[in-house]
Amino acid sequence: MCNPNPTLLSPTKTTSLTTNINTKLMDPHSPTTHHQQHLGPWPTLSEAVEELGEIAKISGPTTVTGLLMYSRAMISMLFLGYLGELELAGGSLSIGFANITGYSVISGLAMGMEPICGQAYGAKQMKLLGLTLQRTVLLLFSASIPIALMWANMRTILLWCGQDEQISSVAQTFIVFSIPDLFFLSILHPLRIYLRTQNITLPLTYCTAISVLIHVPLNFLFVVHLKKGISGVAIAMVFTNLNLCFLLAIFVYFSRVYRESWITPSMDCVRGWSSLLALSIPTCISVCLEWWWYELMIMLCGLLVNPRATIASMGILIQTTSLVYVFPSSLSLGVSTRVGNLLGANNPVRARTSMIVSLGCAMLLGLLAMLFTTLMRHQWGRLFTTDNEILKLTAIALPIAGLCELGNCPQTTGCGVLRGSARPTTGANINLGSFYLVGMPVAIFCGFGLKMGFGGLWVGLLAAQASCAILMLIVLYRTDWNVQVERAKELTKSSTQTGTLPISSPTKVMPTFDGILCIKTSHELVKTTTPVLVASLETDPLLNHV
């Protein structure tokens, strides 16, 4: 639900903000009113093609980077399988635990800097990029310390949850050697966002390609030659992320892209965190909730008639959706950067055009994903197993997973738009309601009540994605882009001065559909003085985040 009583903004500051926006909206000579008069219903074909090219410059290299990260995760799984069944089970359990308790948290917190950096770059406030980068790295380091302590005691936690003692011991070994990865990712995630929001994506792809190429010999060295066992796989993963950090740092230094944005570390890094936290915390919660939903699906599989086959099939399907997800996720990152840059540059028309074009691309991607999963439903599972029961379950669920992508692709892209316009809580509310209030009850009812079994669980995911996409489209359709431009101005101004930003447009506290979704109009913005937090989510529970 939207928070009706946040403490991040005082009524005085919010009243000042709304009065300022109201004045600009009502002034016939203001730039905002000028844009308002020229916001047509649809962009022209030439405008759409031009914007498509701009998004492709960001999303194209990002897609290649995502596929490379996916291949790196698969390489690690292959070496776990090479070590044996126990190591594969322990490594998989450890990776799942790490995703839930660590990687999702670090990734979600890092995303809080994206709207600030994107809009600051569009507004040419370069020093704010450097300051936000430093603050985010410190935030992630702070979060990594308690996570590392939890990982060090994972075996105790797993045994308390009733897991097998031998598998828990192997999983403990893997995750202890993975602890340094938390701190490398605390640098890597912010650095990637820092570069991407400046439209620097190709160097990210090149550096990722080099690190993945090195990942293979690293695994051979530690696992085969030095015979480090499961700890060798974890060490190779850590060194791969270390190599990527090192390569990106070299690029930043020698290309001098930091020249305009770098500021000497000072006490400003530890002050004014409210702006960043107000975006990072809701996004982190959103990411964790979605990742946990998939883990709950796996737990529900264990309650079905043939748990071994259903859990194995679910693993294949999650790997498949993780691969497919690379494409809408890259599109989401591209449109998030474009929307943030354009709002920061005071260009609401192009920001709306970017939204429309990206949603059109997302629907096309959803169609292609559905065709792929439907046509390959009998062949795809054979890449992973020869077990007839697992293949049968996979063939049943793949077309449903394809239908899910029809909703997931627009929803993921819409989250990118919300993130670029610093409205993450809106996306969080949509995902929370869709997955837990719609998807989970439908999954339980169809899987167990209607005796549909494994297919019923995926019908629950289909219901979640459908409701998510519909609600997301409603929110985007009702977006007032002129208001978002004014919010971008206040965001970049307050992030540099007081550390407090207008996280959301205020709204009346009413138990209505609009209130639940945090949808506001410019009229409500002027009248209300109660601020509401905002934010979004972007990730899926992907193995390639490891």
Side-chain angles (χ1 to χ4, degrees), residues 458-475:
W458 281 90
V459 170
L461 177 61
L462 177 61
Q465 295 288 14
S467 60
C468 200
I470 292 170
L471 294 176
M472 188 69 71
L473 291 174
I474 291 173
V475 169

Side-chain angles (χ1 to χ4, degrees), residues 526-537:
V526 171
K527 280 190 173 182
T528 317
T529 59
T530 305
V532 179
L533 299 180
V534 233
S536 129
L537 92 98

